[in-house]
């Protein structure tokens, strides 16, 4: 059996990989102010910690969304 006609072609490179390479090049270029890079480092650390915490607790996104108004 072949792939359905609506499946289309598989891209040579995934879009997230292209975006990742562009962001690495942007950060390496030194065009961004140091404070912005430091703030982004802090935000990514917090988000990674929150994701690992949620993973450890076995949380599922469908259990958290939509967020009740009282939680905000």
């Amino acid at each position: 059996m072949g792939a359905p006609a609506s499946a289309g072609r598989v891209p040579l490179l995934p879009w997230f990989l292209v975006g990742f390479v562009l962001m690495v090049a942007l950060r390496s270029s030194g065009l961004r102010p140091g404070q912005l890079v430091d703030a982004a480092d802090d935000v990514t650390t917090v988000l990674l910690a929150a994701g690992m915490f949620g993973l450890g607790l076995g949380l599922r996104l469908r259990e958290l969304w939509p967020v009740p108004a009282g939680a905000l």
Side-chain angles (χ1 to χ4, degrees):
M1 288 190 175
S6 63
R9 294 181 47 190
V10 176
L12 182 61
L13 287 174
W15 283 110
F16 76 90
L17 184 60
V18 173
F20 179 78
V21 170
L22 288 174
M23 292 300 109
V24 168
L26 180 64
R27 180 167 179 170
S28 299
S29 70
L31 295 176
R32 294 286 167 199
Q35 291 176 335
L36 181 65
V37 173
D38 291 341
D41 283 342
D42 293 340
V43 169
T44 56
T45 299
V46 169
L47 290 176
L48 179 61
M52 297 303 286
F53 182 76
L55 184 63
L57 290 178
L59 294 177
R60 302 284 183 254
L61 185 60
R62 66 179 167 267
E63 296 170 358
L64 299 174
W65 195 258
V67 177
L72 298 176

